Amino acid sequence: MEKAALLRSISCSTLACNRFFFRSSNRLSRSSASFSSSVSRSHHRSFGTLTRRSVLRRHWRLLPASSIPSTRCFSLLAPKAIATSPEQASPDFVSTEDDFAEKYGFEKVSEQFIQECKSKAVLYKHKKTGAEVMSVSNDDENKVFGVVFRTPPKDSTGIPHILEHSVLCGSRKYPLKEPFVELLKGSLHTFLNAFTYPDRTCYPVASTNTKDFYNLVDVYLDAVFFPKCVEDFQTFQQEGWHYELNNPSEDISYKGVVFNEMKGVYSQPDNILGRTAQQALFPDNTYGVDSGGDPNVIPKLTFEEFKEFHQKYYHPGNARIWFYGDDDPNERLRILSEYLDLFDTSPASRESRVEPQKLFSKPVRIVEKYPAGEGGDLKKKHMVCLNWVLSDKPLDLETELALGFLDHLMLGTPASPLRKILLESGLGEAIVGGGMEDDLLQPQFSIGLKGVSDDDIPKVEELVMTTLKSLAEEGFDSEAVEASMNTIEFSLRENNTGSFPRGLSLMLRSIGKWIYDMDPFEPLKYEKPLMDLKARIAEEGSKAVFSPLIEKYILNNPHCVTVEMQPDPEKASRDEAAEREILKKVKAGMTEEDLAELARATQELRLKQETPDPPEALKSVPGLSLLDIPKEPIHVPTEIGVINDVKVLQHNLFTNDVLYTEIVFDMSSLKQDLLPLVPLFCKQSALLVQIIAQGQNLNHCCSHHLQLILPELNLNFTFLYCFVGSIVLVNFLIVGSQSLMEMGTKELDFVQLNQLIGRKTGGISVYPFTSSVRGKEDPCRHIIVRGKAMTGHAEDLFNLVNCILQEVQFTDQQRFKQFVSQSKARMESRLRGSGHGIAAARMDAKLNTAGWIAEQMGGVSYLEFLQALEKKVDQDWIGISSSLEEIRKSLLSRKGCLINLTSEGKNLTNSEKYVSKFLDLLPSSSPVEKTTWNARLSSENEAILVPTQVNYVGKATNIYDTGYQLKGSAYVISKYISNTWLWDRVRVSGGAYGGFCDFDTYSGVFSFLSYRDPNLLKTLDIYDGTGDFLRQLEMDDDTLTKAIIGTIGDVDSYQLPDAKGYSSLLRYLLGVTEEERRKRREEILSTSLKDFKEFADVIEAAKHKGVVVAVASQDDVDAANKEHPNFFQVKKAL
């Protein structure tokens, strides 16, 4: 949920377009094993993309170790689907289609062919209720459905967010506790989530299997229109809030999934900043409150208010419904009619309209405090951000488009002037603010710095304003404009949304206008406005286009809110004390009978939460059979050849004339003490960018292995699934500054280099990749260079990669110091927001060498290195510069090099000569001998202290040490444990936002983790009970089949061509053969209850020999060590 800055990376072009057309999709979700580092402005059931400012708006439903959305990792680009254009459709066909619409109660409002996505789009209106339906037809097999309600809250009790969680907890046709979880267990979904914006709530699903798709659609329609939660007070308590009292003699506490989720959100400084800014910018409309819920206000919400909100807003007349893909458009209308015909008209659509905020006549200044650790110089931990509402009404498309380009020009790359000047000023450590944001009714712009000295706050404000004035007066150079234009155009033409369904990215773009009663087609059509803007720039010059925008919407705009955030080391303890005092008064006001009744109600709720659904209820959820599952793994064409004595992997796939390449270098010659410098050598926000997570889908993978790669979350990560033998591989393409691309060469300074990359390619990134290798002591350790370009620029691509690798000079001391400061700031932010990632990295580092390497480049050890390095840069720059050169010499060599190419066959052939030339320029061998790394952290239990209101609790062991031999059933079992035992006990009953397990089949490490958890020792007890859970497990054939199908869904995750080529490369690096892939699939498909029972003894190793790492508050760690003396070794991180 952190909005990625558009910095240079392999995915930068995709993101550029995303930022350009959909600059923020702020939402939160309802998932259980979340991994995101910050909850954005939307709230989701699962985890999603993170956006810098979306911290206020987006809440994803946290999916149980198995699913995730992304927040900004999707690019809102048009899908590459093919459909019959209206001109080609026969009159009889059209007539028949209209007859179908009439039959099912719909009238056609408009029909258009969207050339950009080769789709026919038809807007319908349901006659009886007024529900609006967009039906998009094309040949994309990844079908998407979504229903969106306008849900503007009037206070910060979090009603929309709690309701979004709750409607998926059983419905009229599916009367079990959580049909949502049953879908996670046993469907082939490519997307399954829900999320809450400040003014709307979205319920999207996607699948490539038509039968599965319609199953998902039916469950979601029944959930939103006929949920059990409006009649079930206990669901409201579980998902929202309740008083918990186990014994009348004990203290009362607050519990609730959303309550604890939002306590985590309100523990993160960037989130507090974003929420404060939004509410100050919009004091008079719905954006002035928190749709996700303020933990101080959530307990004021009543069940009656909760029910009334659903009755008022969850009506077809207030809904926008979206279908997309290659399924039958008439069947879509038939399915909808079965639900919509049950309703009459409603005033909801009128009552839910969002009123615009009137613009201020003068600026406003806000000063807030945020919880800070006691370490470091607090005087240098201030934050300041300038925020504007740009207009009192929505903007026309031409202006929006121009503002999108302006945003990219000012902030989109490390060379962008506003970004560059702020970071080079030395006034702060990292950028805050999301730039242009237009996902709400009124667009905004925000920019600032964190890590600022209190004395420098006015200087930052002045620098922002003087820089903007200078840009308005002087304009942008032509190379920068050309680079931005190419970046955005490339992204549109490539249409690469990563693992995010293309249809969903289109839906969210369309909804951004449609939800405000504007044209839903307009956001889907970029071609003409883009060409018009290019023509206007060519005719009038860029200054004539952009300077008036800066002046009108920012410099001369009085609707400006400056937010200053001050560090307060006492705030977290004061907040906790205030909560305890409130609860103390609540208890004091109760009689003995009241307390006994509360204790009884607590036990009753827990009993309900821990009691399995009856078999007849479980059977109500539609599912697939094993006959619907392909027996063979997905095949990726791979041809292995040799060019200049270097192996080259080629994948002949349709890519629309885009060439994707990965160049792999061996990292085994690198000295061990240089490891922490590698992320800074590659890029300041890179870590282990490829993550391997076995047997779980995206959410699970990220949850366990995020620690390997996200030291700083001011980045974009695009998720690419690939089944590697028996693993799900998640690829994070990180966007951020980097030494190789931000130091410049003899001929080009770093601005010119970045502009050249933007003009000639779709992006280049460099990052380390490491993993254990099953059956080997030495880990897999490489540096990977990823790049992409139109095939006509293939030569430019390889020339630029060579320039970056061999010609960049490590001579700019001050720029390097900026990288260090930014990395440190982001690592500190990550400690608060992704503590489970920190815990997982730390545990892996205690259990295997690959984990230790990852932790050196992205865990607490890396943060400690950065803290020391920040001072060392001034003391020994020559030594650091020499170390960077030594890293380069150790890596660059044809020996151990590997090239991976993905494109159409003719393009692969044409590219070989450029590959040959590139390889000729590399040294034939490394001057450094291969080294052996065999290090681990000590194995004691450890608590990492941070100022937080929630905890992140991990426990892990290496089950290969018990003699366990890998079987495909392990993937089924670990996913099942996450979706049942841990979901029910850690999340539902325990109140954590997420709980899950992960099995790294390469190292043998089996891990348990929790996310935003109010508990500590109680959660560890749940982990230790997993073996008994498996021994006592009874499972009918239907339940087992669901578990198997759900695992296959993870294994066969939908991939675009570049991801297919990349996953094939990783299989090659990790020694995974096609034979092994088939064997693991057969083992998955033949999993039996006996396998579950046998795994119970294996998992006992975690109970008796596991290492524990928790990222937690001082109070909770002290309480744990009091209950179990010396249980934790304590390390203060902040």
Side-chain angles (χ1 to χ4, degrees):
M1 300 164 202
E2 283 270 24
K3 180 164 134 193
L6 271 181
L7 309 181
R8 179 67 54 210
S9 87
I10 183 68
S11 59
C12 71
S13 64
T14 296
L15 285 185
C17 176
N18 194 19
R19 183 185 184 97
F20 185 64
F21 281 100
F22 190 73
R23 277 172 294 284
S24 99
S25 72
N26 304 334
R27 52 192 179 289
L28 258 171
S29 97
R30 182 214 192 261
S31 124
S32 125
S34 155
F35 67 87
S36 89
S37 90
S38 69
V39 180
S40 65
R41 298 177 188 167
S42 50
H43 318 268
H44 341 293
R45 180 168 180 105
S46 123
F47 265 33
T49 37
L50 316 179
T51 73
R52 270 186 311 209
R53 278 194 67 213
S54 50
V55 277
L56 330 168
R57 306 187 185 162
R58 196 169 18 196
H59 310 277
W60 292 78
R61 181 172 176 90
L62 247 192
L63 302 178
S66 319
S67 20
I68 282 199
S70 163
T71 347
R72 294 270 314 168
C73 42
F74 42 86
S75 103
L76 305 174
L77 311 178
K80 200 157 159 17
I82 303 297
T84 304
S85 67
E87 294 79 8
Q88 296 169 307
S90 70
D92 290 342
F93 175 80
V94 174
S95 174
T96 303
E97 194 176 69
D98 290 345
D99 290 344
F100 267 106
E102 184 70 26
K103 175 182 178 181
Y104 294 123
F106 294 90
E107 61 178 340
K108 183 192 294 185
V109 177
S110 179
E111 177 178 332
Q112 298 185 30
F113 185 77
I114 310 299
Q115 183 64 40
E116 288 81 349
C117 57
K118 303 295 188 295
S119 302
K120 184 177 79 169
V122 184
L123 179 64
Y124 294 101
K125 189 166 188 174
H126 186 247
K127 296 178 182 179
K128 186 179 180 185
T129 64
E132 296 181 16
V133 180
M134 180 71 94
S135 181
V136 182
S137 299
N138 51 48
D139 72 346
D140 192 341
E141 65 174 342
N142 200 8
K143 292 164 278 291
V144 174
F145 163 82
V147 55
V148 182
F149 300 97
R150 207 156 50 197
T151 53
K154 294 182 178 179
D155 55 39
S156 295
T157 54
I159 298 183
H161 187 189
I162 296 170
L163 191 57
E164 172 240 298
H165 278 237
S166 302
V167 300
L168 295 170
C169 294
S171 64
R172 175 195 61 173
K173 289 172 66 174
Y174 308 108
L176 57 162
K177 289 191 297 182
E178 298 206 73
F180 177 82
V181 179
E182 293 307 308
L183 295 176
L184 288 176
K185 294 176 187 176
S187 80
L188 297 176
H189 62 272
T190 57
F191 193 93
L192 181 70
N193 215 326
F195 28 89
T196 306
Y197 288 72
D199 57 9
R200 57 193 180 269
T201 308
C202 306
Y203 295 89
V205 298
S207 179
T208 57
N209 181 290
T210 303
K211 179 181 177 182
D212 186 56
F213 176 64
Y214 287 140
N215 289 345
L216 297 173
V217 170
D218 196 62
V219 172
Y220 262 49
L221 284 170
D222 205 62
V224 297
F225 290 124
F226 302 104
K228 284 172 42 183
C229 66
V230 295
E231 302 167 355
D232 186 355
F233 180 56
Q234 288 181 323
T235 297
F236 168 77
Q237 291 180 304
Q238 170 184 296
E239 299 298 326
W241 77 277
H242 65 277
Y243 295 123
E244 181 169 282
L245 182 66
N246 294 311
N247 187 297
S249 64
E250 298 178 357
D251 293 333
I252 294 175
S253 63
Y254 286 125
K255 282 291 176 69
V257 173
V258 169
F259 177 79
N260 284 311
E261 174 192 346
M262 298 312 293
K263 285 186 80 172
V265 171
Y266 276 77
S267 295
Q268 296 171 243
D270 287 12
N271 288 358
I272 299 171
L273 170 65
R275 285 177 145 70
T276 301
Q278 179 179 295
Q279 292 172 25
L281 284 170
F282 298 97
D284 304 320
N285 71 0
T286 191
Y287 305 143
V289 298
D290 190 345
S291 64
D294 182 335
N296 292 321
V297 184
I298 289 173
K300 296 178 182 178
L301 178 62
T302 68
F303 185 50
E304 288 303 315
E305 292 170 328
F306 172 79
K307 291 191 294 183
E308 289 170 5
F309 195 89
H310 179 271
Q311 184 178 15
K312 183 175 184 178
Y313 293 126
Y314 279 59
H315 185 278
N318 191 42
R320 276 74 171 164
I321 301 171
W322 173 277
F323 273 98
Y324 165 97
D326 65 357
D327 60 310
D328 181 356
N330 295 322
E331 180 66 7
R332 299 169 177 176
L333 299 182
R334 187 197 66 76
I335 292 170
L336 288 177
S337 68
E338 292 183 354
Y339 283 91
L340 303 185
D341 288 348
L342 300 174
F343 291 84
D344 294 316
T345 58
S346 164
S349 185
R350 295 191 304 274
E351 295 175 355
S352 66
R353 285 177 184 156
V354 178
E355 296 301 321
Q357 169 67 49
K358 293 181 180 179
L359 297 186
F360 299 163
S361 59
K362 59 182 180 180
V364 173
R365 185 178 189 84
I366 303 288
V367 179
E368 285 285 342
K369 298 193 181 291
Y370 73 86
E374 297 177 355
D377 186 353
L378 292 180
K379 289 184 178 180
K380 296 182 179 179
K381 293 293 182 182
H382 290 243
M383 307 166 72
V384 62
C385 189
L386 286 74
N387 311 268
W388 287 266
V389 170
L390 304 186
S391 174
D392 58 358
K393 56 184 177 295
L395 301 174
D396 60 82
L397 182 61
E398 181 181 354
T399 303
E400 274 193 348
L401 206 57
L403 284 170
F405 265 102
L406 175 62
D407 185 43
H408 187 258
L409 282 166
M410 293 194 298
L411 292 168
T413 76
S416 298
L418 181 55
R419 177 182 182 82
K420 176 177 177 288
I421 289 170
L422 284 174
L423 291 176
E424 288 184 349
S425 69
L427 295 174
E429 295 178 337
I431 296 285
V432 292
M436 296 289 179
E437 304 255 0
D438 65 355
D439 61 321
L440 301 184
L441 179 64
Q442 294 164 266
Q444 309 126 69
F445 179 79
S446 61
I447 187 65
L449 287 172
K450 63 180 175 179
V452 179
S453 170
D454 55 351
D455 297 332
D456 288 336
I457 293 291
K459 296 178 184 177
V460 174
E461 298 174 43
E462 181 181 4
L463 182 60
V464 169
M465 298 305 295
T466 56
T467 303
L468 289 169
K469 287 176 184 176
S470 175
L471 291 173
E473 292 170 359
E474 300 173 13
F476 302 89
D477 63 58
S478 59
E479 287 80 6
V481 175
E482 182 186 350
S484 285
M485 184 64 72
N486 181 72
T487 295
I488 290 165
E489 267 202 276
F490 183 96
S491 177
L492 291 167
R493 310 298 180 207
E494 182 197 20
N495 185 27
N496 190 334
T497 58
S499 66
F500 202 81
R502 284 168 165 163
L504 180 52
S505 70
L506 286 175
M507 183 191 98
L508 295 178
R509 279 169 59 188
S510 180
I511 283 291
K513 296 296 183 185
W514 193 11
I515 201 72
Y516 303 119
D517 302 315
M518 292 185 275
D519 183 359
F521 296 95
E522 184 181 81
L524 307 180
K525 299 181 288 187
Y526 64 81
E527 192 72 49
K528 185 178 185 302
L530 183 63
M531 294 304 104
D532 289 347
L533 181 61
K534 288 176 68 175
R536 186 180 166 206
I537 292 172
E539 181 180 345
E540 302 175 20
S542 63
K543 183 178 178 182
V545 174
F546 299 119
S547 293
L549 299 178
I550 299 175
E551 292 169 352
K552 177 180 179 179
Y553 291 107
I554 302 178
L555 294 177
N556 300 328
N557 179 1
H559 195 111
C560 176
V561 173
T562 300
V563 179
E564 178 185 348
M565 302 293 295
Q566 300 175 345
D568 183 350
E570 305 298 326
K571 185 176 185 344
S573 57
R574 281 201 312 272
D575 291 345
E576 289 296 318
E579 181 179 301
R580 286 194 297 269
E581 186 62 27
I582 291 172
L583 291 169
K584 185 177 179 181
K585 289 180 180 179
V586 168
K587 186 175 183 181
M590 290 183 172
T591 64
E592 290 186 6
E593 291 77 12
D594 293 335
L595 293 172
E597 173 58 22
L598 179 56
R600 186 202 63 77
T602 298
Q603 294 303 317
E604 185 180 272
L605 175 60
R606 184 174 294 120
L607 178 63
K608 177 188 175 183
Q609 292 168 333
E610 296 177 358
T611 300
D613 287 305
E616 58 272 17
L618 291 171
K619 290 180 186 299
S620 69
V621 178
L624 303 175
S625 75
L626 292 180
L627 296 176
D628 298 312
I629 306 302
K631 300 301 180 186
E632 292 293 318
I634 294 171
H635 174 69
V636 178
T638 303
E639 183 177 317
I640 302 176
V642 175
I643 298 177
N644 294 9
D645 298 324
V646 171
K647 283 189 178 179
V648 178
L649 277 59
Q650 297 188 359
H651 312 287
N652 185 352
L653 295 168
F654 176 75
T655 63
N656 205 23
D657 281 336
V658 177
L659 174 69
Y660 299 96
T661 184
E662 288 81 29
I663 303 162
V664 183
F665 295 100
D666 191 354
M667 205 163 58
S668 61
S669 296
L670 190 67
K671 290 181 181 177
Q672 185 169 303
D673 61 349
L674 294 178
L675 272 176
L677 265 179
V678 169
L680 293 164
F681 169 83
C682 294
K683 55 176 61 187
Q684 59 102 353
S685 61
L687 283 182
L688 272 181
V689 187
Q690 310 323 347
I691 309 152
I692 298 176
Q694 289 67 19
Q696 305 295 359
N697 75 2
L698 183 58
N699 201 21
H700 193 187
C701 303
C702 298
S703 301
H704 182 72
H705 289 283
L706 194 66
Q707 76 282 2
L708 304 182
I709 54 167
L710 297 183
E712 311 108 39
L713 273 169
N714 190 9
L715 48 82
N716 168 62
F717 43 93
T718 299
F719 304 113
L720 306 178
Y721 299 119
C722 62
F723 188 56
V724 187
S726 37
I727 63 181
V728 175
L729 198 302
V730 185
N731 171 29
F732 286 73
L733 301 182
I734 296 187
V735 204
S737 307
Q738 59 189 48
S739 298
L740 282 177
M741 292 169 60
E742 293 197 42
M743 287 293 199
T745 68
K746 286 182 179 180
E747 286 77 28
L748 300 172
D749 63 30
F750 94 91
V751 173
Q752 294 169 320
L753 179 58
N754 270 262
Q755 290 174 352
L756 189 58
I757 292 169
R759 285 157 47 205
K760 300 296 186 182
T761 78
I764 298 171
S765 62
V766 187
Y767 52 84
F769 166 73
T770 189
S771 168
S772 295
V773 178
R774 191 165 54 250
K776 293 184 178 181
E777 288 294 325
D778 282 348
C780 175
R781 40 191 169 161
H782 298 284
I783 294 290
I784 299 180
V785 183
R786 293 197 79 182
K788 58 185 175 182
M790 299 306 296
T791 52
H793 284 292
E795 184 175 14
D796 294 319
L797 175 61
F798 283 101
N799 286 342
L800 280 165
V801 170
N802 180 72
C803 175
I804 289 166
L805 293 176
Q806 302 211 59
E807 297 178 23
V808 163
Q809 296 183 310
F810 304 118
T811 56
D812 194 331
Q813 179 179 354
Q814 290 308 308
R815 285 200 60 73
F816 185 81
K817 189 173 182 180
Q818 288 172 32
F819 304 161
V820 176
S821 296
Q822 293 165 42
S823 296
K824 180 171 71 71
R826 291 177 183 136
M827 274 300 304
E828 290 172 347
S829 177
R830 184 176 168 247
L831 267 170
R832 298 167 182 263
S834 294
H836 59 305
I838 294 292
R842 200 77 177 168
M843 293 187 300
D844 278 353
K846 295 171 182 287
L847 294 170
N848 63 80
T849 300
W852 178 84
I853 296 169
E855 209 272 340
Q856 293 294 305
M857 296 191 288
V860 174
S861 296
Y862 182 57
L863 175 58
E864 292 171 339
F865 170 79
L866 292 171
Q867 289 167 339
L869 185 64
E870 194 172 32
K871 300 174 183 177
K872 187 179 178 183
V873 172
D874 292 327
Q875 300 165 359
D876 185 23
W877 169 241
I878 293 176
I880 294 170
S881 179
S882 297
S883 294
L884 292 170
E885 283 291 355
E886 186 175 350
I887 292 173
R888 173 153 54 189
K889 289 178 182 177
S890 299
L891 297 174
L892 296 190
S893 166
R894 287 201 298 273
K895 185 178 180 180
C897 182
L898 178 68
I899 305 288
N900 194 58
L901 301 171
T902 304
S903 192
E904 293 87 350
K906 67 180 189 307
N907 298 327
L908 295 174
T909 300
N910 291 338
S911 298
E912 289 180 359
K913 56 182 174 291
Y914 307 126
V915 172
S916 177
K917 179 181 174 183
F918 169 80
L919 292 173
D920 281 340
L921 297 173
L922 288 177
S924 58
S925 61
S926 171
V928 184
E929 292 297 319
K930 184 174 180 178
T931 60
T932 299
W933 304 338
N934 188 19
R936 300 184 186 187
L937 296 180
S938 56
S939 60
E940 72 270 4
N941 296 339
E942 196 170 25
I944 313 296
L945 300 185
V946 297
T948 180
Q949 299 181 62
V950 289
N951 304 317
Y952 305 84
V953 185
K955 188 168 187 178
T957 193
N958 191 325
I959 62 175
Y960 287 166
D961 291 346
T962 69
Y964 175 74
Q965 298 291 315
L966 177 63
K967 291 178 60 179
S969 60
Y971 307 123
V972 183
I973 296 165
S974 59
K975 180 180 175 73
Y976 188 82
I977 292 170
S978 289
N979 286 341
T980 55
W981 173 248
L982 297 177
W983 173 277
D984 290 339
R985 298 305 173 103
V986 176
R987 182 191 185 281
V988 174
S989 179
Y993 190 28
F996 48 93
C997 64
D998 178 73
F999 179 29
D1000 178 350
T1001 59
Y1002 285 86
S1003 66
V1005 173
F1006 194 99
S1007 307
F1008 296 95
L1009 289 161
S1010 70
Y1011 183 87
R1012 289 181 182 163
D1013 190 345
N1015 305 306
L1016 206 167
L1017 293 180
K1018 287 181 181 178
T1019 298
L1020 292 173
D1021 289 340
I1022 293 168
Y1023 298 162
D1024 289 346
T1026 304
D1028 289 338
F1029 163 73
L1030 292 175
R1031 290 188 190 92
Q1032 297 164 15
L1033 182 65
E1034 295 300 328
M1035 181 185 297
D1036 60 24
D1037 289 343
D1038 286 346
T1039 302
L1040 179 59
T1041 297
K1042 282 183 180 179
I1044 292 170
I1045 290 173
T1047 304
I1048 291 292
D1050 295 340
V1051 164
D1052 289 348
S1053 298
Y1054 185 74
Q1055 290 184 300
L1056 295 177
D1058 64 315
K1060 290 180 179 179
Y1062 186 68
S1063 29
S1064 182
L1065 165 68
L1066 296 179
R1067 285 194 284 268
Y1068 183 87
L1069 291 175
L1070 296 169
V1072 179
T1073 64
E1074 292 301 302
E1075 181 183 357
E1076 182 182 351
R1077 294 182 72 209
R1078 284 191 290 270
K1079 177 183 178 184
R1080 298 296 173 224
R1081 190 180 190 88
E1082 290 168 1
E1083 291 170 346
I1084 290 170
L1085 291 170
S1086 61
T1087 298
S1088 67
L1089 180 59
K1090 180 183 177 184
D1091 293 315
F1092 282 77
K1093 303 283 188 181
E1094 291 175 349
F1095 202 75
D1097 293 332
V1098 176
I1099 210 67
E1100 284 294 292
K1103 177 178 181 179
H1104 301 295
K1105 299 179 181 179
V1107 297
V1108 176
V1109 175
V1111 177
S1113 67
Q1114 178 81 62
D1115 289 348
D1116 285 351
V1117 173
D1118 288 346
N1121 275 338
K1122 183 177 180 180
E1123 186 171 341
H1124 296 288
N1126 301 317
F1127 183 79
F1128 284 115
Q1129 297 292 313
V1130 177
K1131 176 184 283 288
K1132 273 199 173 182
L1134 295 176

